[in-house]
Amino acid sequence: MNPCNPKKILAILAHPHPGSFNHALATTVVNTLEGNGHSVIFHDLYAEGFDPVLPFPEISRDAVLAPDIAVHCAELAEAEGIVVIHPDWWGQPPAILKGWIDRVIRPGVAYRFLEGDSGEGVPVGLLRAKAALVLNTANTPPDREREVFGDPLENLWNTCIFSFCGVPVFHRRMFSVVVTSTEEQRREWLREAGETTARLFPGE
């Protein structure tokens, strides 16, 4: 994990329960980033009522975007670091976050395709972010997640999204098993999340 020193960090949280451990992770991340002098743009997608449905007219690269989506796209394009926090639901992000991916990580903002690539879809990443951090929670033990399910979230975020969009440094941590975790274990996980955030996005 190579540290970088971005100034503007985009942090995205997707969990419906305000008292969740995901929210505690988000608070730790934001406090750590701000403590290191970074400017943090934070979105709690559920609290904000983000609309995850991608309408057909919005698919085109040249589409006229709704004002709120245009703001999200601008924030993503300008971010020098990205943090995403969400639970593992059926090996996927919650639907509201998948909709954010569909509507915001869009062509012309996060990536483009090489001209004359004969339809192979060779990407050119457009994101300015030097690093991305993904924090997940799960109720499946890590070994089972890898051996039985193939760790689909690692493939999604690392290979299919951030590498595709040109982000050179990626780190992901899955905290599990949450449902049986103790208060002491959760405090340790929050400490780890803060330390990981500080290493990846240190202050000046």
Side-chain angles (χ1 to χ4, degrees):
M1 179 166 49
N2 299 316
C4 59
N5 289 288
K7 301 290 186 183
K8 188 178 297 184
I9 313 293
L10 176 63
I12 303 294
L13 167 66
H15 196 289
H17 178 38
S20 71
F21 184 65
N22 280 256
H23 281 75
L25 285 170
T27 297
T28 297
V29 166
V30 171
N31 288 345
T32 301
L33 291 171
E34 291 179 342
N36 281 349
H38 301 299
S39 174
V40 182
I41 301 169
F42 174 67
H43 288 289
D44 179 338
L45 298 182
Y46 280 98
E48 296 175 12
F50 182 84
D51 182 359
V53 178
L54 173 66
F56 175 71
E58 200 174 283
I59 293 176
S60 169
R61 174 175 175 169
D62 300 322
V64 176
L65 302 178
D68 60 329
I69 299 302
V71 168
H72 276 274
C73 289
E75 291 170 346
L76 177 66
E78 295 168 4
E80 296 167 282
I82 302 167
V83 182
V84 182
I85 302 161
H86 72 86
D88 178 353
W89 286 356
W90 296 100
Q92 303 171 71
I96 198 169
L97 179 54
K98 179 55 169 66
W100 183 88
I101 294 168
D102 291 346
R103 301 189 75 185
V104 178
I105 305 183
R106 57 180 286 112
V109 173
Y111 66 92
R112 64 178 176 84
F113 291 115
L114 287 176
E115 294 184 11
D117 69 353
S118 303
E120 293 107 349
V122 179
V124 176
L126 300 180
L127 293 182
R128 293 180 58 195
K130 301 298 189 297
L133 171 63
V134 175
L135 300 178
N136 299 132
T137 58
N139 289 325
T140 302
D143 290 345
R144 178 173 171 79
E145 186 70 30
R146 289 189 298 269
E147 295 169 8
V148 178
F149 303 111
D151 203 355
L153 286 175
E154 178 72 18
N155 186 55
L156 171 69
W157 287 111
N158 190 6
T159 305
C160 297
I161 295 180
F162 288 122
S163 178
F164 190 93
C165 295
V167 180
V169 176
F170 174 81
H171 182 76
R172 175 173 161 268
R173 172 70 161 94
M174 177 81 84
F175 297 101
S176 63
V177 171
V178 174
V179 71
T180 59
S181 63
T182 64
E183 185 175 344
E184 180 180 359
Q185 177 67 77
R186 294 188 182 200
R187 282 198 299 266
E188 174 62 23
W189 285 342
L190 291 175
R191 183 195 62 77
E192 180 186 341
E195 290 182 353
T196 300
T197 302
R199 284 198 303 270
L200 198 59
F201 305 110
E204 293 293 344

